[in-house]
Every structure is written in C-alpha cells, then in structure tokens.
Amino acid sequence: MVRLTLDLIGKSLNQKNRRDESLAQHLRKTTHLKLSNKNIDIIDDLSLCKNLNVLYLYDNQIRQIDNLNFASNLRHLYLQNNCITRIENLSALIKLEKLYLGGNYITVVEGLETLEELRELHVESQQLPLGEKLLFDPRSLHSLAKSLSVLNISNNNIDGLSDLGILENIFHLIAVDNQLHHMKDLELVLGVWPKLCKMELNGNPVCQKPKYRDRVIVQSKSLESLDGKEIKEMERQFLMNWKASRDARKKNRAESMMNEHSSYSHFDSNDSVHPHFPVYYFPMVKEKPSFAILSEVHRPTYNKESRPTFENTVVEKIRYSPFQILLKFKISV
C-alpha cells in the first residue's frame, strides 16, 4: 500500500524549485502535482495544496476518490487507469473543467451534479461486468447540459445515445468501439446537437450501414469531421441537393396517390347524387329450359309436303332422360 501523503509529495518535488522554502510554504503555492505511476492506492490529506489547479494521479491503484474537498480551485483531474468503481466526493470541485476517468471499473456516470463548469469528461474503456454497458445518471446529465463540450465514452458497450441528447453544447463526441446499430437512433441526437463539430464512431456496427456517412452529414449541418475525415463544403452541398431532390420526388408521389384516392372516393351507390357517372344495365339470366314431351291430345295434321305443326297441342312435363325425350319425340313425329 502506498498512501499519497505530504511526505510523498515532498520526495517527488524538485529540490531546485524549492530553494529555501519549507515544504508547507511550497505546497501552498503549488498549482500542479504530477504523481502518476507511483502505485498509490489511497489519497491522504492534501489540504495544504489550496491553490492546486492540476492533479495528475493516473496509472496508480486508487480505489476510491477521497480527500479532495480542499481543492476548490482544481481545474484538471487525471485519474485514468486506476481501480475506481464509483464517481464520488467531487462536490467541492466547483471549478473543475476536465475530468479523466478512463480505464477504471465505473458502471454508472454519476456524482457530477455540482460540476457545472465541467467542459470535458473522459470515461472510456471501463472494466465492465460481462454483458453490461456504461449507464448515465439523468441528474448528472442535466447538470452538465449547458457546460459539457467534449465527451469520450469509447469502448463501453453503449448501444444508444438518446440519453445524451440533453447535452446541447456537445462539440466533440468520441464513441468508438461501442454497439451502436441503428441510424435512426443516431439521427435523433444529431438533430438536437447544433454545435457538434467532431464525431468519431469507428468500430460501431452502424458504420457498416449503406450510405452511413452521407446520412450523418445530411443530418448534422454543423459537423466538420466524421471518423477523423474532414467534411468538405462541396461534399455537404452535393448531399444536401441530393436529399432535396429525393424529398421532392417522394412528395410528388404522395400527392399523386392522394389525388387518385380522392377521385375514387366520389363513387357512390346513389346515382341521383352523382348523375355524371354512367349507369350500366346488365341482361337478366334466362332460366334453363325444362325438358318436356308433347302428348298427343290432338294429333297434328300435316301434309306429306309440309312439316308437322304443333298447334293446339298440350305440353306435359314428364320425367324422362334427354335421350328418351328425343327418342319419344322422333317416334311420335
């Protein structure tokens, strides 16, 4: 165990800079402390360093953020690559502008409600439990909505950005190697980030979608660089014209379909209301003839030279097959 104490700080200081000052006098004037890669696991009392502006504590073994309430003037805090599991005890750092917490064991971005001056937040590559993703406390996001301009959330299994839409002043988003799949989710936040100039999404499945780059450029008019590649004005203008032409074609097709639908809707069963529609009459279906046989009530008279007449005969319906009827008729004739 290595505790961060005043003695440890004294050993790390350059004696030439101290001259004839005591350690306490020197620490009161100190604005920068570089204590990275010292195997430090506990932050001890550093209250003498009241004018501290920048504190470097990365690449250590720190498990808990503690004993920093004195540092009301601290502006930059470097705590990446430690063993921190929770963001806490930062409420007194009201002037903090940059916070580096990448490479720790944090599962929820929280405890930032009082840091209304924070401009940069780096929480990339957390050592998360299998299958889990980095989460964001809405209260912290609400507090950072006006100030935060740079956000690094790379490699945290993040599958959506909708929660971050509240960060209206985002200038640079770094979200590489996550699980962003859908263009619709991406377009949703691009529409509410009017100051976004740089965005890096390399390594996300959404980057493999057809026309991914084109759709992002069209959706964000402020974006100047995407995935490390500059967006030129000529490229943007071409894509905007292409989108306008496509939207116009869609609108024309929709209007055409509505016109066709409205013309069909005039049809009505009441012909008197719509006299301009023609009325069609269909012929009635004739009944099937019933087979019958002529019974000889009176035998018709005929000459050899003329065909028989069937006047004054009676038609009698009987149940015979068509063949029998014809045969009977032939015999009778």
Side-chain angles (χ1 to χ4, degrees):
M1 293 176 58
V2 178
R3 300 175 68 93
L4 176 54
T5 62
L6 296 179
D7 291 337
L8 180 63
I9 296 174
K11 294 177 182 178
S12 63
L13 293 177
N14 190 340
Q15 298 295 327
K16 294 181 180 180
N17 295 333
R18 289 178 55 181
R19 299 179 183 177
D20 297 331
E21 295 176 332
S22 65
L23 177 60
Q25 291 174 332
H26 183 76
L27 290 179
R28 289 189 184 97
K29 297 190 304 182
T30 298
T31 58
H32 292 65
L33 278 181
K34 297 182 180 180
L35 298 165
S36 58
N37 198 20
K38 302 287 186 181
N39 290 321
I40 298 170
D41 58 353
I42 296 177
I43 302 175
D44 210 334
D45 184 12
L46 304 178
S47 57
L48 285 178
C49 306
K50 293 186 179 298
N51 290 313
L52 197 62
N53 288 331
V54 181
L55 178 57
Y56 297 93
L57 288 172
Y58 59 86
D59 294 338
N60 282 296
Q61 302 296 322
I62 299 171
R63 297 181 178 274
Q64 184 177 4
I65 303 174
D66 206 356
N67 292 322
L68 293 179
N69 293 333
F70 71 93
S72 58
N73 292 313
L74 193 66
R75 297 184 181 276
H76 300 172
L77 178 58
Y78 295 81
L79 287 169
Q80 63 266 43
N81 300 328
N82 279 281
C83 302
I84 299 169
T85 59
R86 186 177 179 183
I87 305 175
E88 57 186 347
N89 300 322
L90 297 176
S91 59
L93 310 185
I94 56 177
K95 295 183 180 180
L96 194 65
E97 297 177 356
K98 297 182 181 181
L99 178 58
Y100 294 82
L101 290 167
N104 281 284
Y105 293 79
I106 298 167
T107 57
V108 181
V109 176
E110 58 185 346
L112 306 176
E113 289 80 5
T114 61
L115 306 186
E116 297 181 355
E117 299 293 327
L118 195 66
R119 295 188 293 105
E120 293 190 22
L121 177 60
H122 300 260
V123 288
E124 74 282 0
S125 303
Q126 299 300 317
Q127 304 297 319
L128 299 168
L130 185 63
E132 293 190 13
K133 64 180 180 180
L134 184 66
L135 302 176
F136 297 86
D137 185 345
R139 294 170 296 181
S140 290
L141 291 177
H142 186 269
S143 299
L144 301 177
K146 301 292 185 181
S147 63
L148 199 66
S149 60
V150 178
L151 178 61
N152 187 349
I153 53 173
S154 299
N155 192 26
N156 282 315
N157 294 328
I158 294 173
D159 56 6
L161 299 176
S162 58
D163 292 343
L164 306 178
I166 192 175
L167 303 175
E168 57 188 65
N169 286 312
I170 282 293
F171 177 86
H172 186 188
L173 176 69
I174 309 167
V176 303
D177 296 330
N178 277 298
Q179 297 299 319
L180 301 173
H181 284 81
H182 306 292
M183 279 298 307
K184 289 184 178 180
D185 295 338
L186 192 58
E187 292 172 351
L188 183 65
V189 294
L190 289 175
V192 295
W193 284 343
K195 298 182 180 180
L196 184 67
C197 287
K198 296 180 180 181
M199 184 166 66
E200 299 168 27
L201 299 175
N202 308 83
N204 283 277
V206 70
C207 298
Q208 305 302 321
K209 296 288 184 180
K211 297 187 181 298
Y212 150 75
R213 179 178 172 86
D214 295 349
R215 293 174 67 179
V216 170
I217 294 174
V218 168
Q219 192 65 31
S220 177
K221 297 180 180 180
S222 62
L223 201 61
E224 298 178 358
S225 175
L226 177 60
D227 299 334
K229 185 177 180 181
E230 180 186 1
I231 299 173
K232 296 181 179 180
E233 188 59 31
M234 183 179 297
E235 178 184 11
R236 186 191 303 279
Q237 192 60 46
F238 171 81
L239 292 173
M240 294 298 291
N241 293 339
W242 168 78
K243 181 179 182 297
S245 176
R246 184 191 62 180
D247 292 345
R249 290 196 300 270
K250 286 184 178 180
K251 183 179 179 180
N252 291 336
R253 285 198 297 267
E255 291 177 351
S256 177
M257 292 179 65
M258 290 184 65
N259 291 336
E260 291 180 4
H261 177 73
S262 61
S263 64
Y264 282 118
S265 66
H266 288 296
F267 285 104
D268 192 9
S269 59
N270 189 355
D271 295 335
S272 63
V273 179
H274 306 288
H276 54 281
F277 286 108
V279 179
Y280 296 97
Y281 298 94
F282 298 93
M284 298 296 293
V285 179
K286 295 182 178 180
E287 295 182 357
K288 293 183 179 180
S290 60
F291 290 100
I293 188 167
L294 300 176
S295 63
E296 296 184 16
V297 177
H298 297 287
R299 181 180 291 276
T301 58
Y302 61 91
N303 298 325
K304 292 181 179 181
E305 297 177 356
S306 63
R307 294 184 177 181
T309 61
F310 295 92
E311 298 177 357
N312 301 323
T313 62
V314 179
V315 177
E316 181 183 357
K317 296 181 179 180
I318 60 175
R319 297 176 179 176
Y320 286 105
S321 68
F323 178 74
Q324 290 173 328
I325 294 173
L326 292 175
L327 184 61
K328 182 75 177 179
F329 179 77
K330 184 177 182 180
I331 295 174
S332 64
V333 174

